[in-house]
């Protein structure tokens, strides 16, 4: 495992620099969301469970209203959007509410 320790709960991104640092190594799942988004709220327990259960996964939450530039740079057009990163490189992207098993399949493919 890298020097970065995965958190057991999602990390709310507070700056572009923090985002860049946390996505630079290991396997990272970025949840692009908005507080007003119903499907985002439906997805939240799934994302939280994944963060708690997967030891080698870092989960970030990016509020698209607060960080429009990050969302735009990532090509996010609809939310919720889930972007996986592997060792600093964008890997798989999923849009919409997802089952935990589907996210675990993607995670397994990146390991």
């Amino acid at each position: 495992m890298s020097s970065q320790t995965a958190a057991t709960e999602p990390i709310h991104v507070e700056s572009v620099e923090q985002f860049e640092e946390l996505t630079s190594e290991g396997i990272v799942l970025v949840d692009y969301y908005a507080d007003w988004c119903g499907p985002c709220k439906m997805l939240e327990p799934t994302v939280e469970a994944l963060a708690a259960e997967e030891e080698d996964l870092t989960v970030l939450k990016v509020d698209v209203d607060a960080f429009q530039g990050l969302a735009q740079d990532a090509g996010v057009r609809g939310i919720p959007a889930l972007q996986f990163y592997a060792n600093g490189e964008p890997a798989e992207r999923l849009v919409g509410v997802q089952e935990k098993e589907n996210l675990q399949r993607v995670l397994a493919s990146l390991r």
Side-chain angles (χ1 to χ4, degrees), residues 27-31 47 50 57-61 81-85 92 94 103:
I27 300 173
V28 181
L29 170 59
V30 180
D31 176 12
V47 171
L50 213 57
L57 177 68
T58 300
V59 177
L60 305 181
K61 292 188 68 74
L82 299 169
Q83 176 70 58
F84 284 89
Y85 288 83
E92 187 80 24
L94 303 166
L103 299 176

Side-chain angles (χ1 to χ4, degrees), residues 19-107:
F19 175 86
E20 290 171 352
E21 179 184 334
L22 292 174
T23 57
S24 68
E25 61 181 13
I27 300 173
V28 181
L29 170 59
V30 180
D31 176 12
Y32 292 93
Y33 77 100
D35 290 334
W36 48 262
C37 168
C40 298
K41 291 178 181 164
M42 290 172 53
L43 181 62
E44 192 167 0
T46 304
V47 171
E48 288 175 351
L50 213 57
E53 295 168 12
E54 303 292 341
E55 291 182 9
D56 64 339
L57 177 68
T58 300
V59 177
L60 305 181
K61 292 188 68 74
V62 174
D63 183 335
V64 297
D65 290 329
F67 293 99
Q68 293 176 2
L70 278 178
Q72 190 173 16
D73 290 348
V76 173
R77 304 230 187 290
I79 53 173
L82 299 169
Q83 176 70 58
F84 284 89
Y85 288 83
N87 298 314
E89 295 298 319
E92 187 80 24
R93 172 174 300 154
L94 303 166
V95 178
V97 177
Q98 303 291 321
E99 296 292 326
K100 185 167 82 168
E101 294 76 21
N102 193 30
L103 299 176
Q104 288 170 321
R105 270 194 297 277
V106 173
L107 188 55

